[in-house]
Amino acid sequence: MPTLEFWYEFASTYSYPAAWRIDRLALAAGVKVVWRPLFLGPLFHKQQGMSDSPFNVVEVKGRYMWRDMERVCQAEMLPFRRPSAFPRRSLLALRLALVGGHRGWIANFSRAVYAANFGQDRDIGDPAVLALLVKEVGGDPVADFHEADSDAIKAELRDNVAEAEAKGVFGAPSFYIPSNKTPGGELFWGNDRLEQAVAWAAAH
Amino acid sequence: MPTLEFWYEFASTYSYPAAWRIDRLALAAGVKVVWRPLFLGPLFHKQQGMSDSPFNVVEVKGRYMWRDMERVCQAEMLPFRRPSAFPRRSLLALRLALVGGHRGWIANFSRAVYAANFGQDRDIGDPAVLALLVKEVGGDPVADFHEADSDAIKAELRDNVAEAEAKGVFGAPSFYIPSNKTPGGELFWGNDRLEQAVAWAAAH
């Protein structure tokens, strides 16, 4: 079965519609999705010298993006509320997603985190909010928070960032189709490229 | 008839497919396109502090963009050759486009400039190349170059940049639908948003 890697970060606005669209599109095309959480801060800083969201750094771009998100979410019938804080701390949520990767609830949890942050303006940096979401998707907050804090999970997230960088990722959402051919896999960037990425995975 | 403003700059890669797609899509939707050439350099510098293309400033982003352009142009059956110099000087071509706006050949000329730069790797900063293109679209190189150098055309380009900035433009291609309602018009950014922009213009 063809495989598509979905690289995302909870601070990324356009990853929200992508996360809610990808399983449906992949199912229709017979493509398997691998959910790959990514901590973007270090990558942004290393590649672009930024220490804040580009949408905060360039105000006119940010203003456009919020209006565009409103339109995109409306077209997808996804709830949208501009978060009262942006970007929110994503590190704990990302580590919990990795735990969910081992327990089978990563996709449900990731979608729930996006909906909380961008649909309901809840603080996904707050452990209490995340504990509720873990519970909702069938996890065990006590055990899962404990594991999220383990050296193994921390290393897994660091390894993800390094792997993403090696694959040419520089933003989220990104979609990567592994390949045995030269020069390696195919990368697509942005929610707008999801359809093309799924089609590419199905065809190659 | 609903109107869509097409804001573009000859140094902008993704404006190339947009320029070759927009008239067809607008015709199908019953929308009138107004071609608005824009000098992006000053705007990039003012809004984002950049004095080079973002695709040169952030190398990993540039590498992705060239591969993506290859795919986008292939899907649209547009010739694509990565220019041996990027970005090329666009100022004279932009002023000539404004002259073409007064003479009725702005769309044909603008498409020809894009095809020369991104399809054939010709230097669109070279007056000799531009003279051929002006001739091809039915202009008169001697008279049109003279007018392109006039104070009136220089002022028109400066006014375009100021108007674009006032409308929230920060990159190209951008599509703007004027409106009498609060809070003014609707802005869409990027070749990927062309379909939505045309649909918005047709519906509002």
Side-chain angles (χ1 to χ4, degrees):
Chain A
M1 198 176 192
T3 294
L4 181 66
E5 295 176 4
F6 173 34
W7 292 91
Y8 62 100
E9 141 81 83
F10 290 121
S12 153
T13 50
Y14 288 106
S15 295
Y16 167 37
W20 280 83
R21 300 194 313 123
I22 194 165
D23 276 352
R24 171 167 42 91
L25 292 168
L27 181 70
V31 167
K32 189 191 165 197
V33 177
V34 185
W35 291 63
R36 306 294 307 266
L38 163 71
F39 193 40
L40 260 185
L43 217 53
F44 269 173
H45 192 261
K46 186 174 175 183
Q47 295 175 331
Q48 312 195 36
M50 286 188 294
S51 37
D52 192 357
S53 163
F55 298 120
N56 288 343
V57 174
V58 184
E59 197 241 337
V60 63
K61 220 165 171 168
R63 205 162 51 228
Y64 171 80
M65 180 277 290
W66 291 116
R67 172 62 185 135
D68 192 49
M69 272 292 289
E70 209 168 62
R71 292 189 304 231
V72 168
C73 290
Q74 191 168 26
E76 292 293 328
M77 294 187 286
L78 284 169
F80 174 74
R81 198 186 302 175
R82 179 171 171 175
S84 48
F86 177 81
R88 286 200 162 108
R89 288 165 298 149
S90 58
L91 190 56
L92 179 55
L94 290 165
R95 287 179 180 156
L96 284 166
L98 289 177
V99 174
H102 298 286
R103 309 258 163 103
W105 42 258
I106 184 169
N108 283 343
F109 174 74
S110 299
R111 279 189 292 260
V113 171
Y114 281 117
N117 191 14
F118 297 114
Q120 302 157 339
D121 190 19
R122 286 157 76 193
D123 181 4
I124 58 156
D126 179 352
V129 170
L130 292 171
L132 282 173
L133 299 179
V134 165
K135 231 177 151 177
E136 267 173 37
V137 299
D140 171 352
V142 176
D144 296 334
F145 272 65
H146 187 74
E147 193 179 338
D149 198 42
S150 69
D151 289 343
I153 288 291
K154 287 176 183 172
E156 196 179 331
L157 188 57
R158 274 195 307 274
D159 291 348
N160 267 15
V161 176
E163 186 182 335
E165 188 184 2
K167 287 175 169 173
V169 170
F170 56 89
S174 287
F175 313 102
Y176 183 86
I177 296 107
S179 163
N180 299 322
K181 292 191 199 148
T182 319
E186 196 74 16
L187 182 70
F188 294 84
W189 174 50
N191 177 52
D192 295 323
R193 286 285 180 282
L194 178 52
E195 281 79 357
Q196 286 106 306
V198 168
W200 188 282
H204 288 83
Chain B
M1 198 175 192
T3 294
L4 181 67
E5 296 176 4
F6 173 33
W7 292 91
Y8 61 100
E9 141 80 82
F10 290 122
S12 153
T13 51
Y14 287 106
S15 295
Y16 167 38
W20 281 83
R21 300 195 313 125
I22 194 166
D23 276 352
R24 171 168 41 92
L25 291 167
L27 181 70
V31 169
K32 188 190 165 197
V33 177
V34 185
W35 291 64
R36 305 295 307 267
L38 163 71
F39 194 40
L40 259 185
L43 216 53
F44 268 172
H45 191 262
K46 187 173 174 185
Q47 294 174 332
Q48 310 196 35
M50 285 188 294
S51 38
D52 192 358
S53 162
F55 298 121
N56 288 341
V57 174
V58 183
E59 198 242 336
V60 64
K61 221 165 167 166
R63 205 162 52 227
Y64 171 80
M65 181 275 290
W66 291 116
R67 172 61 185 136
D68 192 48
M69 272 293 288
E70 210 169 62
R71 291 187 305 229
V72 168
C73 290
Q74 192 168 26
E76 291 295 327
M77 294 188 286
L78 284 170
F80 174 74
R81 198 187 301 173
R82 179 172 170 173
S84 48
F86 177 81
R88 286 202 161 107
R89 287 165 299 149
S90 58
L91 189 57
L92 179 54
L94 289 165
R95 288 179 179 155
L96 284 167
L98 289 177
V99 174
H102 298 286
R103 309 259 163 102
W105 43 257
I106 185 170
N108 283 342
F109 174 74
S110 298
R111 279 188 291 260
V113 171
Y114 280 117
N117 191 13
F118 297 115
Q120 302 156 339
D121 191 19
R122 286 156 76 193
D123 182 4
I124 59 156
D126 180 354
V129 169
L130 292 172
L132 283 172
L133 299 180
V134 165
K135 232 177 151 177
E136 268 174 35
V137 298
D140 170 352
V142 175
D144 296 334
F145 271 66
H146 186 75
E147 194 179 337
D149 199 41
S150 68
D151 288 344
I153 288 291
K154 286 176 184 173
E156 195 178 332
L157 188 56
R158 274 196 305 274
D159 290 349
N160 267 14
V161 176
E163 185 182 335
E165 188 184 1
K167 287 175 169 173
V169 171
F170 57 89
S174 286
F175 314 102
Y176 184 85
I177 296 107
S179 164
N180 300 322
K181 292 192 200 150
T182 319
E186 196 73 19
L187 182 71
F188 294 84
W189 173 51
N191 176 52
D192 295 322
R193 285 286 179 282
L194 178 51
E195 281 80 357
Q196 286 106 307
V198 169
W200 188 280
H204 287 84

